[in-house]
Amino acid sequence: MKKIGFLSFGHWSDGAGSQTRSAQDALLQSVDLAVAAEELGADGAYFRVHHFARQLASPLPLLSAIGARTSRIEIGTGVIDMRYENPLYFAENAGAADLISGGRLQLGISRGSPEQVIDGWRYFGYEPPEGDTDADMARKHTEVLLTVLQGKGFAQPNPRPMFPNPPGLLRIEPHSAGLRDRIWWGSGSNATSVWAAELGMNLQSSTLKDDETGEPLHVQQRKQIEAYRQAWKDAGHQRQPRVSVSRSIFALTSDLDRAYFGRNADSGDQIGMIDEKTRAIFGRSYAAEPNVLVKQLAEDEAIQAADTLLLTVPNQLGVDYNAHVLENILTHVAPELGWR
């Protein structure tokens, strides 16, 4: 069995055209798509997070709303940029969202991706200490978050509090037991996947990764997953870790599917520079008749190595069409590969 969910950008536009949506539409349709995915039997509803963009920049209110409308599906992110986060405030909001959902939150966090603005985290009031990079700052914020999510008291109580306190030092409230084990690190390199394993975080690997060997993306990701799992074992963690990979996969079962995605049938990995120093590999899209997809996906080494597959969806095309995309995979592809 493999868990299958969707990963949505949730973006909108204020320009002209039939696909124009408002922020309100994008948020409400994101909730509706999660509800539809649960009804179809999907396992997860995940959302990308980008600040200063017409996308879903405030995931925890959205996930709380989805948690209140659903009962089974996992709800999460891929990923929250920890350069922008106050880890204690983050822990409060995440604890509330997890309690509302009944413990279904799966939060992907990371250093973040290329941004809409230059050093956007500075506008949020964050500055790396002297000698640190913004990536160092993200990792330090993460380490604080992981510590406070354990639920141990650390704050000295006021001797004359407004409300009665329990004995001892105080912790962040609300606390949701188990959330600490449902934090994922979005890793773009082998080194950061090893770091995530050492800290006991699950692993998210996207369709974008540092090009470390020149091999196809799925091969590099499979090696990344192997390095992560070895580091997890070496760290001596007691529970089993989880690993997800993201893919754009479209089963062509209608003329509309072929019109939208038929041209992607022969796509391949691409190489590019995501900044001045980092050469990256971008994963291919899969678009084919279901029987062809089954053969192609069986050869994707990273998908086979992961326990969770996140399907990136064209959310601009609306809830009904995206539900159709998910149903195609769940009905025509997943059973043939033994994922269902």
Side-chain angles (χ1 to χ4, degrees), residues 41-284:
D43 301 298
Y46 288 72
F47 299 89
R48 285 181 168 158
V49 181
H50 293 280
H51 297 288
F52 298 103
R54 293 184 175 93
Q55 295 179 355
L56 302 173
S58 51
L60 291 169
L62 172 64
L63 297 179
S64 296
I66 293 173
R69 288 277 309 276
T70 57
S71 61
R72 178 193 56 80
I73 198 168
E74 294 180 343
I75 51 179
T77 53
V79 291
I80 296 172
D81 189 334
M82 290 303 293
R83 295 174 296 181
Y84 287 78
E85 296 295 329
N86 177 315
L88 274 65
Y89 189 51
F90 185 117
E92 290 179 337
N93 286 334
D98 197 43
L99 291 169
I100 289 170
S101 71
R104 290 182 283 130
L105 212 57
Q106 304 283 342
L107 288 180
I109 63 176
S110 188
R111 184 204 64 84
S113 58
E115 303 179 85
Q116 296 295 107
V117 300
I118 298 171
D119 296 344
W121 31 270
R122 297 186 192 275
Y123 295 97
F124 279 58
Y126 298 110
E127 186 80 25
E130 185 175 353
D132 280 2
T133 67
D134 60 312
D136 295 328
M137 180 174 66
R139 285 188 282 268
K140 289 179 178 178
H141 285 182
T142 297
E143 290 170 358
V144 174
L145 172 67
L146 297 177
T147 298
V148 300
L149 285 177
Q150 293 174 357
K152 297 178 181 179
F154 62 91
Q156 186 68 41
N158 188 335
R160 294 181 293 278
M162 181 178 295
F163 311 106
N165 281 324
L169 300 176
L170 302 183
R171 68 185 183 184
I172 288 292
E173 300 286 359
H175 172 68
S176 185
L179 179 56
R180 168 61 178 82
D181 291 341
R182 286 179 273 113
I183 303 298
W184 304 59
W185 185 258
S187 172
S189 69
N190 289 7
T192 55
S193 69
V194 168
W195 175 81
E198 292 170 347
L199 268 65
M201 290 186 282
N202 300 312
L203 177 67
Q204 285 185 344
S205 191
S206 185
T207 52
L208 170 66
K209 183 186 176 298
D210 291 0
D211 183 17
E212 299 182 82
T213 66
E215 296 169 294
L217 173 70
H218 72 102
V219 176
Q220 294 197 46
Q221 280 186 316
R222 187 259 301 163
K223 292 181 177 180
Q224 179 190 32
I225 292 169
E226 291 173 348
Y228 166 81
R229 287 185 170 141
Q230 183 61 53
W232 185 278
K233 181 179 179 180
D234 293 343
H237 301 305
Q238 296 304 304
R239 67 178 177 87
Q240 289 297 312
R242 288 185 59 186
V243 175
S244 73
V245 295
S246 303
R247 291 291 186 272
S248 297
I249 304 174
F250 303 98
L252 307 181
T253 63
S254 70
D255 289 340
L256 187 58
D257 296 333
R258 296 180 188 94
Y260 279 142
F261 302 109
R263 70 188 68 181
N264 294 327
D266 298 320
S267 72
D269 293 344
Q270 298 181 6
I271 301 295
M273 301 296 293
I274 59 173
D275 58 38
E276 296 175 350
K277 301 178 180 178
T278 308
R279 173 185 164 100
I281 184 167
F282 303 80
R284 58 166 294 185

